[in-house]
Amino acid sequence: MKRVQKRWGVMTVFAVSMLLALSSHAQQQPMYSQYMFNMMNINPAYAGSRGVTSMTALFRDQWVNMPGSPKTASVSVDMAVKQKKIGLGLQLYDDRLGVERTMGLNLAYAFRIQTSEKGTLSLGLQAGILNYRANYTELSTFQSNDPVFSQNVNGILPAAGAGIYYNSDKFYIGASMPALLKTKINNNNVADVSSASGRDLHFFVTSGFVTDINEDLVLKPSIMIKSASGAPVELDLNMNLWIKNTIAVGGSYRTGDAYVGMVEWQMNRQLRFGYAYDKTFSNLGIYNNGTHELMLRLEIGQEGSKMVSPRYF
């Protein structure tokens, strides 16, 4: 029992330290294992790429049974207009970590260039606002004499991002910087905003393709590369197998972090459901029971469409 209490004590100190580090850079990018269904979260150029009105909801409960663990929810809508030359997108999100909570709204605009019969290149911009709150007084029992914990933080911050994305019916590749601004709330609850330098920028590269094994089986590998200030470069390697274009099973490996198992169900031409489970293999793994993530996507306008069904990305 003493050993368990000691472990939780170490984790409490770790969690508090992590929260303090995050507070200096309030604009963070929530992580999703099913990133391939929510790429507008990291790349505004993805907006409108599916050619129909697409609505996606995701919920992620990370590090289950660990006090103060992250919980993230997002809802996004995107569509193509002007003969599919323009992509528009909107995303709402709610990201919680311990005493911190970030709620935000992002608007995305993508200019889409038809490069071939099936290929499109998109250039995207994103702008938004977020409300960042941190109830540090709840942690005063740990650091009663520390002035950092003597008051809460609550303020509005701007957000901006940019990206480029190319896709055909069988392949995609994209690169993005979803946080072009360096933002934080100072001790007077006033926003400090500046352009992010190269050291502070987050870079994402995503790519994937599909290949037919036979008429019933389709293999879909994908990769995401993430580079962020103060952290090692992270790779997310994914492989899914689609069976009769209805059920997909697969998994991912996230360097230094977790193994992921996932399943997708194309319920009909409009509706898709996804579930992912992360098993942490880092030192944090002994303090939690894994991560659960749910995805639901509804698409309007598929009937009569010439696109391959289902769209794999």
Side-chain angles (χ1 to χ4, degrees), residues 1 12 63 78 97 114 155-156 198 217 257 270 291 293-294 313:
M1 180 63 70
T12 299
W63 302 337
D78 71 287
L97 172 59
Q114 195 77 27
I156 301 295
L217 301 176
D257 183 24
Q270 284 76 41
T291 298
E293 186 177 289
L294 300 173
F313 39 78

Side-chain angles (χ1 to χ4, degrees), residues 135-156:
N135 297 324
Y136 288 126
T137 54
E138 295 181 12
L139 302 174
S140 60
T141 54
F142 299 100
Q143 297 286 339
S144 58
N145 297 321
D146 193 328
V148 172
F149 301 102
S150 64
Q151 63 180 11
N152 296 326
V153 173
N154 189 347
I156 301 295

Side-chain angles (χ1 to χ4, degrees), residues 28 51 95-96 108 194 202 214:
Q28 300 293 317
D95 188 32
R96 305 185 188 195
S194 61
H202 291 194
N214 56 44

Side-chain angles (χ1 to χ4, degrees), residues 121-228:
L121 178 68
S122 299
L123 306 175
L125 295 173
Q126 179 176 282
I129 57 171
L130 61 91
N131 174 222
Y132 173 76
R133 288 179 284 174
N135 297 324
Y136 288 126
T137 54
E138 295 181 12
L139 302 174
S140 60
T141 54
F142 299 100
Q143 297 286 339
S144 58
N145 297 321
D146 193 328
V148 172
F149 301 102
S150 64
Q151 63 180 11
N152 296 326
V153 173
N154 189 347
I156 301 295
L157 294 168
I164 184 170
Y165 181 78
Y166 170 84
N167 77 283
S168 64
D169 60 336
K170 297 283 189 177
F171 171 78
Y172 74 88
I173 186 169
S176 60
M177 294 178 289
L180 293 176
L181 301 178
K182 182 179 179 181
T183 61
K184 67 178 182 179
I185 303 294
N186 62 30
N187 293 334
N188 297 318
N189 282 339
V190 176
D192 288 336
V193 182
S194 61
S195 298
S197 63
R199 185 172 64 90
D200 299 312
L201 287 171
H202 291 194
F203 295 94
F204 288 81
V205 176
T206 55
S207 185
F209 65 93
V210 295
T211 180
D212 297 332
I213 298 176
N214 56 44
E215 61 181 9
D216 294 328
L217 301 176
V218 174
L219 197 63
K220 184 177 76 71
S222 64
I223 183 174
M224 179 173 69
I225 305 171
K226 175 183 176 181
S227 176

